[in-house]
Amino acid sequence: MRARTDRGVLRGRIHGRSLLALVAVAALVSAVAVWQFGSLRDEHDPDVAGADQPDRPRYTESAESPTPSAPVSPSLTPESSAVPETSGAPDPGSEEAATSAASEAAVTGPQCTASLELDDEWSGSISVDVEVANTGTEPIDGWEVVLDLAGLEVTGLWGLDHLDGDRYGDIMFNAGIDPGSSVGPSFQAEVEGEWSLPATVPCTPEA
Protein backbone atom coordinates (compact mmCIF):
# COMPACT_ATOMS: atom_id res chain seq x y z
CA MET A 1 0.00 0.00 0.00
CA ARG A 2 2.78 2.37 0.86
CA ALA A 3 4.66 1.49 -2.29
CA ARG A 4 1.71 2.53 -4.39
CA THR A 5 1.48 5.79 -2.51
CA ASP A 6 5.16 6.56 -3.13
CA ARG A 7 4.73 5.85 -6.80
CA GLY A 8 1.78 8.23 -7.02
CA VAL A 9 3.72 10.95 -5.28
CA LEU A 10 6.69 10.41 -7.58
CA ARG A 11 4.52 10.61 -10.64
CA GLY A 12 2.89 13.79 -9.35
CA ARG A 13 6.26 15.36 -8.84
CA ILE A 14 7.39 14.39 -12.33
CA HIS A 15 4.22 15.81 -13.86
CA GLY A 16 4.62 19.00 -11.84
CA ARG A 17 8.19 19.49 -12.96
CA SER A 18 7.27 18.77 -16.57
CA LEU A 19 4.49 21.33 -16.37
CA LEU A 20 6.87 23.92 -14.92
CA ALA A 21 9.35 23.21 -17.71
CA LEU A 22 6.64 23.63 -20.32
CA VAL A 23 5.53 26.91 -18.74
CA ALA A 24 9.12 28.17 -18.71
CA VAL A 25 9.63 27.22 -22.36
CA ALA A 26 6.35 28.89 -23.31
CA ALA A 27 7.34 32.06 -21.47
CA LEU A 28 10.72 32.08 -23.20
CA VAL A 29 9.10 31.60 -26.61
CA SER A 30 6.66 34.43 -25.86
CA ALA A 31 9.50 36.75 -24.83
CA VAL A 32 11.46 35.97 -28.01
CA ALA A 33 8.36 36.59 -30.13
CA VAL A 34 7.68 39.92 -28.42
CA TRP A 35 11.31 40.98 -28.93
CA GLN A 36 11.29 40.08 -32.64
CA PHE A 37 7.99 41.89 -33.16
CA GLY A 38 9.40 45.02 -31.51
CA SER A 39 12.51 44.88 -33.68
CA LEU A 40 10.48 44.59 -36.88
CA ARG A 41 8.27 47.50 -35.84
CA ASP A 42 11.29 49.70 -35.14
CA GLU A 43 12.78 48.93 -38.56
CA HIS A 44 9.58 49.90 -40.44
CA ASP A 45 8.81 52.99 -38.36
CA PRO A 46 11.03 55.90 -39.57
CA ASP A 47 10.39 57.98 -36.47
CA VAL A 48 11.51 55.20 -34.15
CA ALA A 49 14.39 54.13 -36.39
CA GLY A 50 15.70 57.66 -36.73
CA ALA A 51 15.43 58.39 -33.05
CA ASP A 52 18.16 55.90 -32.20
CA GLN A 53 20.57 57.17 -34.84
CA PRO A 54 22.72 60.24 -34.20
CA ASP A 55 22.44 63.21 -36.54
CA ARG A 56 24.77 62.92 -39.49
CA PRO A 57 26.59 66.01 -40.67
CA ARG A 58 25.26 67.30 -43.98
CA TYR A 59 27.72 67.98 -46.79
CA THR A 60 27.33 71.37 -48.45
CA GLU A 61 29.33 72.39 -51.50
CA SER A 62 31.24 75.52 -50.82
CA ALA A 63 31.30 78.28 -53.43
CA GLU A 64 34.33 78.24 -55.62
CA SER A 65 36.84 80.74 -54.55
CA PRO A 66 37.67 83.25 -57.29
CA THR A 67 40.93 82.63 -59.05
CA PRO A 68 43.05 85.75 -59.09
CA SER A 69 43.76 86.90 -62.62
CA ALA A 70 47.28 87.45 -63.72
CA PRO A 71 48.29 91.11 -63.79
CA VAL A 72 48.36 92.64 -67.23
CA SER A 73 51.65 94.16 -68.05
CA PRO A 74 51.46 97.46 -69.91
CA SER A 75 52.43 97.20 -73.56
CA LEU A 76 55.42 99.13 -74.62
CA THR A 77 54.89 101.25 -77.71
CA PRO A 78 57.96 102.70 -79.34
CA GLU A 79 57.84 106.40 -79.69
CA SER A 80 57.08 107.41 -83.25
CA SER A 81 59.51 109.78 -84.76
CA ALA A 82 58.09 113.11 -85.72
CA VAL A 83 57.68 113.57 -89.47
CA PRO A 84 57.75 117.12 -90.70
CA GLU A 85 54.59 118.13 -92.50
CA THR A 86 54.98 119.12 -96.10
CA SER A 87 52.55 121.20 -98.04
CA GLY A 88 51.07 119.71 -101.23
CA ALA A 89 50.85 123.08 -102.93
CA PRO A 90 53.45 123.57 -105.68
CA ASP A 91 55.86 126.48 -105.72
CA PRO A 92 54.09 129.44 -107.36
CA GLY A 93 57.08 130.03 -109.64
CA SER A 94 57.52 126.40 -110.77
CA GLU A 95 56.45 124.81 -114.04
CA GLU A 96 54.06 122.55 -112.14
CA ALA A 97 52.21 125.59 -110.79
CA ALA A 98 51.85 127.02 -114.30
CA THR A 99 50.46 123.72 -115.63
CA SER A 100 48.01 123.48 -112.73
CA ALA A 101 46.80 127.03 -113.33
CA ALA A 102 46.27 126.30 -117.02
CA SER A 103 44.29 123.15 -116.19
CA GLU A 104 42.08 125.03 -113.74
CA ALA A 105 41.46 127.72 -116.33
CA ALA A 106 40.46 125.07 -118.87
CA VAL A 107 38.05 123.46 -116.41
CA THR A 108 36.51 126.71 -115.20
CA GLY A 109 36.49 128.33 -118.64
CA PRO A 110 33.80 127.98 -121.35
CA GLN A 111 32.63 124.38 -121.78
CA CYS A 112 29.90 122.79 -123.91
CA THR A 113 28.58 119.38 -124.90
CA ALA A 114 26.38 118.28 -127.81
CA SER A 115 24.13 115.19 -127.70
CA LEU A 116 21.96 113.67 -130.46
CA GLU A 117 18.58 111.95 -130.16
CA LEU A 118 16.49 110.40 -132.94
CA ASP A 119 13.21 112.28 -133.24
CA ASP A 120 11.49 110.54 -136.16
CA GLU A 121 12.21 108.09 -138.96
CA TRP A 122 10.41 107.43 -142.21
CA SER A 123 11.20 105.97 -145.61
CA GLY A 124 14.78 106.98 -146.42
CA SER A 125 14.95 109.93 -143.97
CA ILE A 126 15.28 110.75 -140.27
CA SER A 127 14.97 113.83 -138.08
CA VAL A 128 17.37 114.35 -135.17
CA ASP A 129 17.23 116.66 -132.14
CA VAL A 130 20.49 118.26 -130.96
CA GLU A 131 21.06 119.51 -127.39
CA VAL A 132 23.94 121.95 -126.93
CA ALA A 133 24.59 122.55 -123.21
CA ASN A 134 26.91 124.95 -121.38
CA THR A 135 28.72 122.77 -118.82
CA GLY A 136 31.26 125.43 -117.80
CA THR A 137 31.21 128.25 -115.29
CA GLU A 138 31.11 131.15 -117.76
CA PRO A 139 28.54 132.17 -120.39
CA ILE A 140 29.33 131.35 -124.01
CA ASP A 141 28.49 133.62 -126.95
CA GLY A 142 28.60 130.97 -129.66
CA TRP A 143 29.29 127.31 -130.33
CA GLU A 144 30.22 124.86 -133.06
CA VAL A 145 29.43 121.15 -133.50
CA VAL A 146 30.79 118.49 -135.85
CA LEU A 147 28.21 116.20 -137.47
CA ASP A 148 30.37 113.43 -138.92
CA LEU A 149 27.57 110.88 -139.36
CA ALA A 150 28.19 107.55 -141.12
CA GLY A 151 25.52 106.67 -143.69
CA LEU A 152 23.66 109.99 -143.26
CA GLU A 153 23.57 113.10 -145.42
CA VAL A 154 22.24 116.26 -143.78
CA THR A 155 19.50 117.78 -145.95
CA GLY A 156 17.70 120.21 -143.65
CA LEU A 157 18.62 122.44 -140.69
CA TRP A 158 16.74 124.26 -137.95
CA GLY A 159 18.72 126.42 -135.52
CA LEU A 160 21.99 125.40 -137.19
CA ASP A 161 24.27 127.14 -139.68
CA HIS A 162 26.39 125.04 -142.05
CA LEU A 163 29.95 126.36 -141.79
CA ASP A 164 32.15 123.95 -143.72
CA GLY A 165 32.21 120.20 -144.35
CA ASP A 166 30.84 118.51 -141.21
CA ARG A 167 31.07 121.71 -139.14
CA TYR A 168 27.86 123.41 -138.04
CA GLY A 169 27.42 126.45 -135.81
CA ASP A 170 24.85 128.55 -134.06
CA ILE A 171 22.64 131.22 -135.50
CA MET A 172 21.95 134.57 -133.90
CA PHE A 173 19.07 133.67 -131.56
CA ASN A 174 20.67 130.57 -129.97
CA ALA A 175 24.33 131.63 -129.83
CA GLY A 176 24.45 132.70 -126.17
CA ILE A 177 24.10 130.01 -123.49
CA ASP A 178 24.42 130.63 -119.74
CA PRO A 179 26.14 128.10 -117.43
CA GLY A 180 23.83 125.14 -116.79
CA SER A 181 21.53 126.03 -119.72
CA SER A 182 21.13 124.51 -123.18
CA VAL A 183 19.61 125.12 -126.62
CA GLY A 184 17.93 122.61 -128.93
CA PRO A 185 18.52 122.86 -132.67
CA SER A 186 17.67 119.97 -135.02
CA PHE A 187 18.39 118.63 -138.50
CA GLN A 188 17.04 116.27 -141.13
CA ALA A 189 19.12 113.69 -142.99
CA GLU A 190 18.73 111.12 -145.74
CA VAL A 191 19.72 107.54 -145.03
CA GLU A 192 22.36 106.03 -147.32
CA GLY A 193 22.75 102.29 -146.70
CA GLU A 194 23.82 101.33 -143.18
CA TRP A 195 23.81 104.27 -140.82
CA SER A 196 24.40 104.97 -137.15
CA LEU A 197 23.63 107.90 -134.90
CA PRO A 198 26.21 108.66 -132.17
CA ALA A 199 25.01 109.73 -128.75
CA THR A 200 27.34 112.75 -128.63
CA VAL A 201 29.35 114.83 -131.10
CA PRO A 202 32.24 117.28 -130.55
CA CYS A 203 31.29 120.77 -129.34
CA THR A 204 33.49 123.87 -129.24
CA PRO A 205 32.37 126.98 -127.29
CA GLU A 206 33.14 130.61 -128.09
CA ALA A 207 33.69 132.96 -125.19
Side-chain angles (χ1 to χ4, degrees):
M1 183 72 179
R2 186 175 180 180
R4 291 181 180 179
T5 303
D6 293 339
R7 289 178 181 178
V9 173
L10 180 60
R11 288 179 180 177
R13 290 179 179 177
I14 293 173
H15 285 297
R17 292 178 180 178
S18 298
L19 182 61
L20 290 176
L22 290 175
V23 171
V25 171
L28 180 61
V29 171
S30 298
V32 172
V34 171
W35 177 78
Q36 289 182 349
F37 177 76
S39 298
L40 292 176
R41 185 188 62 180
D42 294 343
E43 290 179 0
H44 291 285
D45 191 350
D47 296 335
V48 177
D52 297 336
Q53 298 179 359
D55 294 337
R56 296 181 180 178
R58 295 183 179 180
Y59 175 74
T60 305
E61 294 184 358
S62 60
E64 296 182 358
S65 58
T67 303
S69 58
V72 180
S73 59
S75 59
L76 300 179
T77 304
E79 296 182 357
S80 58
S81 58
V83 179
E85 296 182 357
T86 57
S87 174
D91 186 1
S94 64
E95 182 179 355
E96 183 181 355
T99 304
S100 177
S103 300
E104 291 180 0
V107 172
T108 58
Q111 298 288 326
C112 72
T113 59
S115 58
L116 306 182
E117 183 178 0
L118 181 64
D119 177 54
D120 196 5
E121 180 180 2
W122 60 95
S123 179
S125 298
I126 61 172
S127 62
V128 179
D129 291 333
V130 183
E131 182 182 11
V132 180
N134 183 349
T135 57
T137 58
E138 299 178 5
I140 57 178
D141 295 331
W143 45 267
E144 178 183 323
V145 296
V146 178
L147 301 179
D148 184 10
L149 309 175
L152 297 174
E153 182 181 357
V154 178
T155 58
L157 300 172
W158 186 88
L160 288 170
D161 183 22
H162 185 211
L163 302 177
D164 182 21
D166 296 328
R167 297 169 52 241
Y168 296 83
D170 63 86
I171 56 179
M172 293 297 296
F173 74 90
N174 62 359
I177 307 175
D178 292 329
S181 300
S182 63
V183 295
S186 61
F187 66 89
Q188 182 177 334
E190 290 184 357
V191 177
E192 298 178 351
E194 295 183 0
W195 62 279
S196 62
L197 187 68
T200 60
V201 292
C203 179
T204 303
E206 295 179 4

